[in-house]
């Protein structure tokens, strides 16, 4: 296991304080949490357009993005908002004014047009492609045509070189698992096992760190990310959830592999712990430590808190203490790199340990996030309409805080 960092103040080296802000000391208010969920849902419904879906938020636009193309993806577009609205309704958290599932055929075509505009044919991508749009349609109709299309997407993505959640086989591994959980159909379990076998065959071994890892071919670069979107942990989450579908020897090998990489790649400082962005830092650069779902301890806790090995408890709890020490993120309340996403780590630790302090901390982050949502809406004049980077994902976090649940949207649950 790796030890302390080389910095004099190693605790500060575990995260960048400039990316965080002081926690506002607001008492937990269940009524306000429910009211905020209602406000977010009403705002989303009021701003929907069949032509444009939802207004693009400045924070979700890169400098070279075409602002005239509607956002369509599960990650930060219409698919994710539609999924979230119907999920909240199914959970009893909202009552919608209309059904948005009639948009799915057109949405799939528009999403393909967006992919074409960036030179991509990654239609199977879980967070960016056809797969979640087809999954929504299949959940509503159980159409065999959608089932066959999904089976083809999962098959076609099995050898994708990215080996991460957003574009690669771990995303379609997760899709196969969700489809199996919905239907109990063995064909999805077989696809889960087949994809897991390919990922196992692609593991590499680091003599330096004495652990397994994947190389990701992503955006024209070869890297070895560790994180919960683009890295090792992104595949570990569906493997853990679907471990019961694997032969016993394969299941045990996976559980040992995941635990070992988690332990060998961590950086500890007394009661604190975090994971660097890359297993091997690129030459000439200092190790990079972030503290958000997509890079760092929150993603590790969220993805690995269901690992059955109790020997991991001290490491998970140390990660939780570091998330709490760092405080809320300045990038808003969102799930991917915001306060709500970090708060889900506390909910996971509450479910694993039963210690109410973690639920209290999750709810403290929830109250802070409520203020962040309100401030951003006032600043920009409307909400941020995105599941992973916007308000609707935070609304789901509030609902889980109300009930002490810990189902991270579209990672732990797709079909309610």
């Amino acid at each position: 296991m790796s030890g302390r960092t080389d910095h004099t103040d190693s605790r500060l080296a575990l995260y960048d304080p400039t990316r965080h802000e002081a926690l506002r000391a607001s008492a937990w208010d269940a009524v306000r949490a429910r009211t905020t969920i209602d406000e977010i849902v009403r705002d989303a419904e009021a701003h929907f357009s069949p032509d444009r879906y939802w207004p693009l938020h400045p924070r979700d636009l890169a400098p070279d993005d075409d602002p005239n193309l509607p956002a369509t993806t599960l990650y930060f577009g219409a698919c994710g908002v539609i999924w979230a609205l119907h999920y909240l309704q199914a959970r009893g958290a909202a009552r919608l004014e209309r059904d948005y599932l009639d948009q799915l055929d057109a949405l799939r075509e528009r999403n393909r047009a967006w992919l074409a505009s960036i030179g991509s044919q990654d239609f199977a991508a879980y967070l960016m492609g056809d797969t979640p749009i087809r999954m929504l349609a299949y959940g509503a109709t159980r159409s065999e045509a959608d089932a066959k299309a999904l089976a083809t997407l999962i098959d076609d993505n099995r050898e994708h070189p990215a080996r991460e959640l957003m574009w690669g086989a771990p995303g379609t591994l997760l899709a196969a698992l969700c489809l199996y959980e919905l239907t109990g159909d063995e064909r999805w379990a077989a696809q889960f096992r087949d994809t897991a076998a390919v990922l196992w065959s692609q593991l590499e071994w680091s003599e330096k760190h004495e652990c397994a890892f994947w190389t990701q071919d992503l955006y024209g670069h070869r890297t070895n990310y560790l994180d919960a979107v683009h890295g090792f942990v992104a595949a570990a989450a569906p493997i853990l959830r679907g471990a019961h579908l694997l032969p016993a020897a394969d299941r045990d090998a996976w559980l040992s592999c995941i635990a070992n990489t988690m332990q060998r790649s961590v950086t500890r400082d007394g009661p604190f712990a975090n994971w660097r962005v890359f297993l091997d830092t690129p030459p000439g650069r200092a190790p990079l430590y972030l503290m958000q779902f997509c890079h760092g301890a929150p993603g590790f806790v969220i993805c690995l808190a269901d690992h059955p090995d109790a020997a991991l408890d001290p490491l998970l709890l140390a990660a939780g203490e570091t998330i709490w020490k760092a405080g809320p993120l300045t990038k808003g309340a969102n799930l991917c790199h915001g306060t709500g996403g970090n708060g889900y780590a506390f909910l996971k630790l509450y479910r694993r340990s039963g210690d109410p302090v973690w639920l209290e901390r999750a709810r403290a982050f929830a109250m802070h996030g409520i203020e962040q949502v309100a401030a951003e809406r006032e600043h920009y004049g409307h909400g941020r309409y995105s599941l992973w980077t916007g308000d609707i994902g935070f609304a789901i976090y509030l609902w889980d805080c109300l009930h002490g649940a810990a189902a991270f949207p579209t990672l732990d649950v797709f079909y309610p």
Side-chain angles (χ1 to χ4, degrees), residues 293-366:
F293 172 81
C294 52
H295 294 295
F300 273 75
V301 174
I302 289 163
C303 290
L304 303 182
D306 292 328
H307 197 294
D309 188 351
L312 298 177
D313 285 355
L315 195 53
L316 291 166
L317 293 171
E321 292 295 344
T322 317
I323 299 165
W324 178 248
K325 176 72 176 178
L329 284 148
T330 60
K331 287 188 174 182
N334 67 83
L335 299 180
C336 189
H337 35 261
T339 301
N342 283 19
Y344 259 113
F346 302 145
L347 290 175
K348 288 281 189 175
L349 291 172
Y350 171 63
R351 299 294 292 178
R352 184 176 178 99
S353 70
D355 188 339
V357 71
W358 296 111
L359 180 58
E360 292 169 7
R361 290 177 173 183
R363 288 173 168 174
F365 269 38

Side-chain angles (χ1 to χ4, degrees), residues 251-282:
R251 180 184 65 242
D252 292 345
W254 270 114
L255 293 177
S256 177
C257 171
I258 291 167
N260 183 63
T261 296
M262 180 183 179
Q263 293 168 312
R264 293 287 181 177
S265 60
V266 71
T267 300
R268 295 293 302 268
D269 177 28
F272 303 102
N274 196 11
W275 287 262
R276 57 194 175 274
V277 171
F278 303 104
L279 180 63
D280 290 303
T281 301

Side-chain angles (χ1 to χ4, degrees), residues 4-325:
R4 293 168 61 96
T5 67
D6 294 331
H7 297 266
T8 302
D9 188 345
S10 52
R11 183 185 307 165
L12 289 182
L14 293 182
Y15 59 90
D16 179 354
T18 66
R19 292 174 176 263
H20 299 266
E21 60 190 34
L23 178 68
R24 298 184 181 97
S26 300
W28 170 244
D29 186 338
V31 172
R32 191 176 182 196
R34 289 179 181 274
T35 299
T36 301
I37 294 171
D38 291 342
E39 290 172 350
I40 290 170
V41 170
R42 287 199 305 269
D43 179 61
E45 291 212 277
H47 284 85
F48 173 75
S49 161
D51 297 323
R52 303 289 301 161
Y53 301 126
W54 282 275
L56 296 174
H57 196 277
R59 287 199 177 200
D60 288 326
L61 280 172
D64 56 347
D65 284 345
D66 183 353
N68 296 313
L69 282 177
T72 52
T73 66
L74 179 66
Y75 178 70
F76 67 159
C79 178
V81 180
I82 291 170
W83 179 88
L85 288 171
H86 282 275
Y87 177 78
L88 285 165
Q89 180 167 259
R91 293 286 303 274
R95 180 175 294 177
L96 303 182
E97 297 295 326
R98 57 157 297 164
D99 188 328
Y100 296 89
L101 299 179
D102 60 359
Q103 300 293 316
L104 296 179
D105 287 341
L107 179 61
R108 191 172 66 253
E109 294 305 314
R110 288 181 175 181
N111 194 61
R112 288 201 167 205
W114 171 74
L115 286 168
S117 77
I118 62 171
S120 173
Q121 293 187 340
D122 288 319
F123 304 129
Y126 181 65
L127 291 183
M128 309 299 266
D130 286 5
T131 294
I133 304 173
R134 287 279 190 187
M135 290 172 70
L136 274 170
Y138 182 66
T141 66
R142 303 298 178 92
S143 159
E144 186 58 24
D146 283 322
K148 289 180 178 178
L150 282 163
T152 299
L153 290 167
I154 294 168
D155 282 340
D156 290 349
N157 212 44
R158 196 168 290 138
E159 301 280 352
H160 196 290
R163 304 180 189 96
E164 49 82 77
L165 180 69
M166 184 171 280
W167 300 96
T172 37
L173 176 76
L174 178 58
L177 178 59
C178 293
L179 290 161
Y180 175 76
E181 291 171 342
L182 175 68
T183 65
D185 190 329
E186 174 59 26
R187 64 177 155 177
W188 307 119
Q191 287 201 306
F192 179 87
R193 287 189 288 270
D194 290 346
T195 303
V198 170
L199 286 167
W200 181 266
S201 73
Q202 295 171 336
L203 280 167
E204 302 173 54
W205 181 258
S206 169
E207 294 291 345
K208 177 181 178 181
H209 302 290
E210 298 182 340
C211 66
F213 69 98
W214 282 287
T215 295
Q216 300 90 22
D217 290 317
L218 185 66
Y219 306 135
H221 301 283
R222 288 175 58 83
T223 58
N224 50 24
Y225 281 112
L226 290 168
D227 64 63
V229 173
H230 294 311
F232 182 88
V233 175
I239 290 290
L240 287 179
R241 223 175 82 211
H244 61 287
L245 299 177
L246 301 173
D250 292 351
R251 180 184 65 242
D252 292 345
W254 270 114
L255 293 177
S256 177
C257 171
I258 291 167
N260 183 63
T261 296
M262 180 183 179
Q263 293 168 312
R264 293 287 181 177
S265 60
V266 71
T267 300
R268 295 293 302 268
D269 177 28
F272 303 102
N274 196 11
W275 287 262
R276 57 194 175 274
V277 171
F278 303 104
L279 180 63
D280 290 303
T281 301
R285 294 170 57 181
L288 177 60
Y289 292 90
L290 301 176
M291 188 61 65
Q292 55 201 42
F293 172 81
C294 52
H295 294 295
F300 273 75
V301 174
I302 289 163
C303 290
L304 303 182
D306 292 328
H307 197 294
D309 188 351
L312 298 177
D313 285 355
L315 195 53
L316 291 166
L317 293 171
E321 292 295 344
T322 317
I323 299 165
W324 178 248
K325 176 72 176 178

